[in-house]
Amino acid sequence: MTYTIKAVAEKTHLSIYTLRFYDKQGLLPFVSRNHAGYREFTDADLQLLHTITCLKNTGMKIADIRHYIDAVMAGPSTIPARQALLSAHREAILAAQQKIMANLKEIDFKLNIYNAPNAQQVITAERRYAKAEKIANGLPDPYPALT
Amino acid sequence: MTYTIKAVAEKTHLSIYTLRFYDKQGLLPFVSRNHAGYREFTDADLQLLHTITCLKNTGMKIADIRHYIDAVMAGPSTIPARQALLSAHREAILAAQQKIMANLKEIDFKLNIYNAPNAQQVITAERRYAKAEKIANGLPDPYPALT
DNA sequence: GCTTGCCCTAGAGTATTGTCTAGGGCTTAT
DNA sequence: ATAAGCCCTAGACAATACTCTAGGGCAAGC
């Protein structure tokens, strides 16, 4: 049993355009064509495509996914290379997560200010300070007067 | 005390190009110019720029950051709007994190296969299955013969 | 006064990742 | 045999976020 590109698009929530784009980028060398030149996806193809979307969803670039797929196509001798690729990507994901969480903490800090009962006063004081700093440095004040 | 664009670039690890680009995109309406038309950054400006980079680092688009900055410039009356913006962004970040962790789990699953002592056999069996599936469906086999 | 080293703007160019259009072919049902 | 509904490719277009170039101004030291 095989799947047309349309069926695959529906299953994966990728657009037909995206699937063809991925193929053009060399991500789908394992997808065969039938006698009419149409792509026919097998179940094993869907497995590989699933791996591709996992890599994409975790921020791997298409060029790097292609390297992984190239290794897959080359056969079992590239298992160490694939392992290295995925391990490095794993670390990159975790590092990115850490960075995002650190930034989120700062956003939460701002949110806490906005949520505090004295938010109005704190924000107003900040604004006054920023205005005063401009004046003190002989700069035009970019903050509009409050209505 | 104020900072030149070069000093700010060094402090923030953003390029001068990026800072000017952000200004062009309306992200830095609070940065004043001196008599020569040069940007002069105050400490309060750096604080706001820091917030901007937090939002950017967590995946907020420039257009959305601009909305937040617009609210900041409009004064304390927009505190509820800012709070809503940041809360929504906070949820978006957490949802994205969840998605990434789910995908990472699948990558880890693949890694475990590669790391297993019988990786060679498992991968070879998968490949044989994929080849057989192509043949069974009357499709050309895209997998090269192993050398 | 002239060089050096910053600063400016406008706008062109680049990288990435799609998305869509034009032109055309296969397959199935009528 | 023709219309409908898929499929194909090549290539144009688009959104995002920079990055750089050209051309020019200001400021400080020789």
mmCIF file of all heavy atoms in Angstrom, chain B residues 6 10-11 19 23 29 31 33 38 42 57 65 69 76 78-79 88 92 104 112-113 119 122 126 128-129 137 140:
data_model
loop_
_atom_site.group_PDB
_atom_site.id
_atom_site.type_symbol
_atom_site.label_atom_id
_atom_site.label_comp_id
_atom_site.label_asym_id
_atom_site.label_seq_id
_atom_site.Cartn_x
_atom_site.Cartn_y
_atom_site.Cartn_z
ATOM 1 N N LYS B 6 27.893 51.841 18.803
ATOM 2 C CA LYS B 6 28.973 50.844 18.834
ATOM 3 C C LYS B 6 29.077 50.216 20.226
ATOM 4 O O LYS B 6 29.195 48.993 20.359
ATOM 5 C CB LYS B 6 30.302 51.505 18.454
ATOM 6 C CG LYS B 6 31.424 50.521 18.218
ATOM 7 C CD LYS B 6 32.757 51.225 18.043
ATOM 8 C CE LYS B 6 33.839 50.211 17.674
ATOM 9 N NZ LYS B 6 35.193 50.788 17.912
ATOM 10 N N GLU B 10 28.384 46.278 21.379
ATOM 11 C CA GLU B 10 29.317 45.428 22.141
ATOM 12 C C GLU B 10 28.662 44.883 23.408
ATOM 13 O O GLU B 10 28.826 43.713 23.752
ATOM 14 C CB GLU B 10 30.578 46.230 22.481
ATOM 15 C CG GLU B 10 31.516 46.358 21.277
ATOM 16 C CD GLU B 10 32.529 47.486 21.407
ATOM 17 O OE1 GLU B 10 32.573 48.125 22.478
ATOM 18 O OE2 GLU B 10 33.268 47.733 20.432
ATOM 19 N N LYS B 11 27.904 45.735 24.088
ATOM 20 C CA LYS B 11 27.250 45.299 25.325
ATOM 21 C C LYS B 11 26.195 44.224 25.065
ATOM 22 O O LYS B 11 26.037 43.295 25.865
ATOM 23 C CB LYS B 11 26.539 46.496 25.992
ATOM 24 C CG LYS B 11 27.402 47.363 26.880
ATOM 25 C CD LYS B 11 26.611 48.558 27.404
ATOM 26 C CE LYS B 11 26.238 48.400 28.868
ATOM 27 N NZ LYS B 11 27.366 48.712 29.776
ATOM 28 N N LEU B 19 20.957 46.768 15.251
ATOM 29 C CA LEU B 19 20.372 47.849 16.042
ATOM 30 C C LEU B 19 19.700 48.872 15.130
ATOM 31 O O LEU B 19 18.585 49.320 15.403
ATOM 32 C CB LEU B 19 21.463 48.523 16.882
ATOM 33 C CG LEU B 19 21.950 47.688 18.074
ATOM 34 C CD1 LEU B 19 23.223 48.270 18.666
ATOM 35 C CD2 LEU B 19 20.854 47.581 19.124
ATOM 36 N N ASP B 23 15.721 49.794 14.837
ATOM 37 C CA ASP B 23 15.224 51.170 14.889
ATOM 38 C C ASP B 23 14.315 51.441 13.684
ATOM 39 O O ASP B 23 13.220 51.980 13.816
ATOM 40 C CB ASP B 23 16.414 52.126 14.902
ATOM 41 C CG ASP B 23 16.028 53.522 15.393
ATOM 42 O OD1 ASP B 23 14.847 53.744 15.745
ATOM 43 O OD2 ASP B 23 16.898 54.401 15.418
ATOM 44 N N PRO B 29 11.822 53.504 19.350
ATOM 45 C CA PRO B 29 11.354 54.890 19.269
ATOM 46 C C PRO B 29 11.825 55.710 20.468
ATOM 47 O O PRO B 29 11.764 56.936 20.443
ATOM 48 C CB PRO B 29 9.827 54.745 19.285
ATOM 49 C CG PRO B 29 9.584 53.475 20.025
ATOM 50 C CD PRO B 29 10.728 52.567 19.653
ATOM 51 N N VAL B 31 14.892 55.788 21.626
ATOM 52 C CA VAL B 31 16.295 56.213 21.526
ATOM 53 C C VAL B 31 16.360 57.605 20.899
ATOM 54 O O VAL B 31 15.884 57.806 19.784
ATOM 55 C CB VAL B 31 17.125 55.211 20.690
ATOM 56 C CG1 VAL B 31 18.546 55.726 20.501
ATOM 57 C CG2 VAL B 31 17.121 53.838 21.346
ATOM 58 N N ARG B 33 18.266 61.225 19.542
ATOM 59 C CA ARG B 33 19.428 61.591 18.726
ATOM 60 C C ARG B 33 20.068 62.842 19.308
ATOM 61 O O ARG B 33 19.370 63.707 19.849
ATOM 62 C CB ARG B 33 18.981 61.899 17.286
ATOM 63 C CG ARG B 33 18.176 60.790 16.609
ATOM 64 C CD ARG B 33 18.951 59.492 16.512
ATOM 65 N NE ARG B 33 18.192 58.501 15.746
ATOM 66 C CZ ARG B 33 18.447 58.221 14.467
ATOM 67 N NH1 ARG B 33 19.397 58.848 13.818
ATOM 68 N NH2 ARG B 33 17.743 57.289 13.853
ATOM 69 N N TYR B 38 23.150 61.601 15.708
ATOM 70 C CA TYR B 38 23.624 60.295 16.184
ATOM 71 C C TYR B 38 22.700 59.767 17.274
ATOM 72 O O TYR B 38 22.222 60.524 18.108
ATOM 73 C CB TYR B 38 25.033 60.414 16.777
ATOM 74 C CG TYR B 38 26.116 60.774 15.792
ATOM 75 C CD1 TYR B 38 25.830 61.151 14.483
ATOM 76 C CD2 TYR B 38 27.453 60.749 16.188
ATOM 77 C CE1 TYR B 38 26.838 61.487 13.602
ATOM 78 C CE2 TYR B 38 28.468 61.091 15.301
ATOM 79 C CZ TYR B 38 28.159 61.463 14.015
ATOM 80 O OH TYR B 38 29.160 61.794 13.138
ATOM 81 N N THR B 42 20.532 55.795 26.512
ATOM 82 C CA THR B 42 20.625 55.967 27.970
ATOM 83 C C THR B 42 20.515 54.596 28.641
ATOM 84 O O THR B 42 20.251 53.584 27.982
ATOM 85 C CB THR B 42 19.476 56.855 28.481
ATOM 86 O OG1 THR B 42 18.232 56.188 28.188
ATOM 87 C CG2 THR B 42 19.491 58.226 27.827
ATOM 88 N N ASN B 57 14.536 36.628 21.646
ATOM 89 C CA ASN B 57 15.172 35.336 21.933
ATOM 90 C C ASN B 57 14.157 34.238 22.237
ATOM 91 O O ASN B 57 14.483 33.052 22.175
ATOM 92 C CB ASN B 57 16.125 35.467 23.118
ATOM 93 C CG ASN B 57 17.372 36.225 22.763
ATOM 94 O OD1 ASN B 57 17.711 36.372 21.593
ATOM 95 N ND2 ASN B 57 18.063 36.739 23.763
ATOM 96 N N ILE B 65 6.806 42.544 18.696
ATOM 97 C CA ILE B 65 7.595 43.315 19.660
ATOM 98 C C ILE B 65 7.244 44.789 19.507
ATOM 99 O O ILE B 65 7.125 45.515 20.490
ATOM 100 C CB ILE B 65 9.105 43.081 19.458
ATOM 101 C CG1 ILE B 65 9.441 41.596 19.656
ATOM 102 C CG2 ILE B 65 9.919 43.941 20.416
ATOM 103 C CD1 ILE B 65 10.903 41.243 19.382
ATOM 104 N N ILE B 69 6.214 47.556 22.313
ATOM 105 C CA ILE B 69 6.926 48.824 22.503
ATOM 106 C C ILE B 69 5.975 50.001 22.323
ATOM 107 O O ILE B 69 6.042 50.989 23.069
ATOM 108 C CB ILE B 69 8.111 48.912 21.517
ATOM 109 C CG1 ILE B 69 9.162 47.847 21.864
ATOM 110 C CG2 ILE B 69 8.718 50.306 21.523
ATOM 111 C CD1 ILE B 69 9.826 48.036 23.214
ATOM 112 N N PRO B 76 1.266 54.401 31.047
ATOM 113 C CA PRO B 76 0.737 53.433 32.012
ATOM 114 C C PRO B 76 -0.686 52.962 31.710
ATOM 115 O O PRO B 76 -1.079 51.896 32.189
ATOM 116 C CB PRO B 76 0.763 54.205 33.341
ATOM 117 C CG PRO B 76 1.723 55.323 33.121
ATOM 118 C CD PRO B 76 1.647 55.671 31.681
ATOM 119 N N THR B 78 -1.706 51.599 29.250
ATOM 120 C CA THR B 78 -1.673 50.361 28.454
ATOM 121 C C THR B 78 -1.146 49.173 29.251
ATOM 122 O O THR B 78 -0.836 48.129 28.667
ATOM 123 C CB THR B 78 -0.790 50.539 27.210
ATOM 124 O OG1 THR B 78 0.549 50.825 27.644
ATOM 125 C CG2 THR B 78 -1.295 51.639 26.316
ATOM 126 N N ILE B 79 -1.042 49.335 30.553
ATOM 127 C CA ILE B 79 -0.535 48.219 31.369
ATOM 128 C C ILE B 79 -1.352 46.941 31.155
ATOM 129 O O ILE B 79 -0.771 45.871 30.956
ATOM 130 C CB ILE B 79 -0.461 48.614 32.858
ATOM 131 C CG1 ILE B 79 0.699 49.593 33.061
ATOM 132 C CG2 ILE B 79 -0.265 47.391 33.742
ATOM 133 C CD1 ILE B 79 0.785 50.181 34.459
ATOM 134 N N ALA B 88 0.197 36.158 26.847
ATOM 135 C CA ALA B 88 -0.020 35.336 25.655
ATOM 136 C C ALA B 88 1.306 34.800 25.131
ATOM 137 O O ALA B 88 1.413 33.626 24.740
ATOM 138 C CB ALA B 88 -0.725 36.153 24.580
ATOM 139 N N ALA B 92 2.663 30.969 24.654
ATOM 140 C CA ALA B 92 3.193 30.505 23.363
ATOM 141 C C ALA B 92 4.564 29.857 23.550
ATOM 142 O O ALA B 92 4.864 28.817 22.943
ATOM 143 C CB ALA B 92 3.283 31.679 22.386
ATOM 144 N N LEU B 104 11.798 15.934 20.786
ATOM 145 C CA LEU B 104 13.097 15.473 21.283
ATOM 146 C C LEU B 104 13.012 14.020 21.756
ATOM 147 O O LEU B 104 13.941 13.235 21.555
ATOM 148 C CB LEU B 104 13.571 16.377 22.428
ATOM 149 C CG LEU B 104 14.904 15.989 23.076
ATOM 150 C CD1 LEU B 104 16.012 15.913 22.035
ATOM 151 C CD2 LEU B 104 15.283 16.975 24.176
ATOM 152 N N ASN B 112 18.652 6.011 20.831
ATOM 153 C CA ASN B 112 18.787 4.773 21.581
ATOM 154 C C ASN B 112 19.010 3.586 20.654
ATOM 155 O O ASN B 112 19.780 2.675 20.979
ATOM 156 C CB ASN B 112 17.545 4.539 22.445
ATOM 157 C CG ASN B 112 17.547 5.424 23.672
ATOM 158 O OD1 ASN B 112 18.621 5.837 24.132
ATOM 159 N ND2 ASN B 112 16.371 5.719 24.205
ATOM 160 N N ILE B 113 18.342 3.608 19.516
ATOM 161 C CA ILE B 113 18.567 2.533 18.545
ATOM 162 C C ILE B 113 20.014 2.560 18.062
ATOM 163 O O ILE B 113 20.689 1.533 18.015
ATOM 164 C CB ILE B 113 17.596 2.687 17.356
ATOM 165 C CG1 ILE B 113 16.163 2.433 17.822
ATOM 166 C CG2 ILE B 113 17.986 1.748 16.218
ATOM 167 C CD1 ILE B 113 15.111 2.699 16.766
ATOM 168 N N ALA B 119 22.651 -2.220 17.032
ATOM 169 C CA ALA B 119 22.238 -1.166 16.097
ATOM 170 C C ALA B 119 22.407 -1.624 14.652
ATOM 171 O O ALA B 119 21.496 -1.460 13.832
ATOM 172 C CB ALA B 119 23.047 0.104 16.352
ATOM 173 N N VAL B 122 19.620 -3.945 13.608
ATOM 174 C CA VAL B 122 18.315 -3.285 13.551
ATOM 175 C C VAL B 122 18.224 -2.405 12.312
ATOM 176 O O VAL B 122 17.240 -2.446 11.563
ATOM 177 C CB VAL B 122 18.067 -2.455 14.831
ATOM 178 C CG1 VAL B 122 16.786 -1.642 14.701
ATOM 179 C CG2 VAL B 122 17.998 -3.376 16.045
ATOM 180 N N GLU B 126 15.802 -2.766 9.042
ATOM 181 C CA GLU B 126 14.912 -1.677 8.603
ATOM 182 C C GLU B 126 15.105 -1.397 7.122
ATOM 183 O O GLU B 126 14.142 -1.225 6.371
ATOM 184 C CB GLU B 126 15.225 -0.392 9.391
ATOM 185 C CG GLU B 126 14.490 -0.252 10.720
ATOM 186 C CD GLU B 126 14.809 1.066 11.394
ATOM 187 O OE1 GLU B 126 15.319 1.998 10.728
ATOM 188 O OE2 GLU B 126 14.556 1.168 12.603
ATOM 189 N N ARG B 128 16.370 -3.362 4.833
ATOM 190 C CA ARG B 128 15.873 -4.475 4.019
ATOM 191 C C ARG B 128 14.356 -4.407 3.867
ATOM 192 O O ARG B 128 13.806 -4.642 2.801
ATOM 193 C CB ARG B 128 16.275 -5.816 4.651
ATOM 194 C CG ARG B 128 17.519 -6.418 4.022
ATOM 195 C CD ARG B 128 17.634 -7.899 4.315
ATOM 196 N NE ARG B 128 17.949 -8.161 5.717
ATOM 197 C CZ ARG B 128 19.185 -8.327 6.184
ATOM 198 N NH1 ARG B 128 20.221 -8.236 5.362
ATOM 199 N NH2 ARG B 128 19.397 -8.555 7.468
ATOM 200 N N TYR B 129 13.701 -4.056 4.977
ATOM 201 C CA TYR B 129 12.237 -3.949 4.930
ATOM 202 C C TYR B 129 11.808 -2.851 3.963
ATOM 203 O O TYR B 129 10.884 -3.022 3.155
ATOM 204 C CB TYR B 129 11.679 -3.683 6.331
ATOM 205 C CG TYR B 129 10.190 -3.525 6.321
ATOM 206 C CD1 TYR B 129 9.346 -4.641 6.350
ATOM 207 C CD2 TYR B 129 9.607 -2.266 6.205
ATOM 208 C CE1 TYR B 129 7.977 -4.504 6.295
ATOM 209 C CE2 TYR B 129 8.230 -2.116 6.144
ATOM 210 C CZ TYR B 129 7.423 -3.233 6.197
ATOM 211 O OH TYR B 129 6.060 -3.086 6.128
ATOM 212 N N ASN B 137 5.657 -3.001 -4.004
ATOM 213 C CA ASN B 137 4.712 -2.047 -4.583
ATOM 214 C C ASN B 137 5.078 -1.692 -6.021
ATOM 215 O O ASN B 137 4.544 -0.732 -6.580
ATOM 216 C CB ASN B 137 4.652 -0.793 -3.710
ATOM 217 C CG ASN B 137 3.850 -1.007 -2.433
ATOM 218 O OD1 ASN B 137 2.632 -1.195 -2.487
ATOM 219 N ND2 ASN B 137 4.526 -1.040 -1.292
ATOM 220 N N PRO B 140 10.697 1.472 -8.106
ATOM 221 C CA PRO B 140 12.158 1.383 -8.150
ATOM 222 C C PRO B 140 12.728 1.517 -6.740
ATOM 223 O O PRO B 140 12.203 2.264 -5.916
ATOM 224 C CB PRO B 140 12.576 2.559 -9.032
ATOM 225 C CG PRO B 140 11.386 3.442 -9.126
ATOM 226 C CD PRO B 140 10.189 2.582 -8.907
#
